[in-house]
Amino acid sequence: QVQLVESGGGVVQAGGSLRLSCVGSDRFFSDYAMGWFRQTPDHEREFVAACSWSGGSTYYADSVKGRFTIPRDNTKNTVYLQMNSLKPEDTAVYYCAASNRGPYSDYREYDWWGQGTQVTVSS
């Protein structure tokens, strides 16, 4: 059982930046692809970004491409979501997730999830 703990959420003005962190408990963390998703009330969980086990391959939703990055540090069992040029429409609860299968954009391909962290972007 992999436990994931997110941190770094908060309130930021439009145009600002935040960095979310997700720490994994499993010593095999480096074997997993990692993803970030977000969700707002009455909406399905939305893909944001994903990376391969090494971090060498990364994938982004069109809505965040060029503004967000997903670096990871396997020595620290941590994946990050660096969010720049934030917009009010980025407001959501952000979740990190781990997958045994690959860095997919479909949330159903992920096996373990964190508890989520709230990001609020004010206009």
Side-chain angles (χ1 to χ4, degrees):
Q1 183 75 14
V2 180
Q3 292 185 325
L4 301 172
V5 179
E6 302 104 332
S7 62
V11 180
V12 64
Q13 286 192 330
S17 297
L18 277 177
R19 187 178 78 161
L20 306 183
S21 300
C22 172
V23 180
S25 64
D26 196 291
R27 63 189 180 99
F28 298 111
F29 178 86
S30 61
D31 290 344
Y32 304 128
M34 297 298 296
W36 285 96
F37 293 78
R38 64 188 181 188
Q39 191 166 20
T40 55
D42 301 325
H43 288 85
E44 280 195 356
R45 199 158 291 193
E46 175 191 21
F47 170 73
V48 176
C51 66
S52 60
W53 66 272
S54 68
S57 297
T58 56
Y59 307 89
Y60 299 95
D62 288 343
S63 59
V64 306
K65 204 170 291 184
R67 299 188 297 124
F68 292 10
T69 58
I70 182 172
R72 69 186 291 168
D73 184 347
N74 287 335
T75 67
K76 297 180 179 178
N77 278 15
T78 302
V79 64
Y80 304 95
L81 185 67
Q82 179 65 46
M83 305 185 293
N84 300 325
S85 302
L86 282 161
K87 304 175 181 180
E89 51 263 43
D90 294 318
T91 295
V93 177
Y94 283 72
Y95 299 89
C96 72
S99 172
N100 265 323
R101 287 174 285 282
Y104 294 101
S105 60
D106 188 339
Y107 69 89
R108 292 168 292 186
E109 297 290 347
Y110 289 79
D111 306 284
W112 300 280
W113 292 83
Q115 81 288 351
T117 185
Q118 176 71 47
V119 171
T120 302
V121 184
S122 62
S123 57

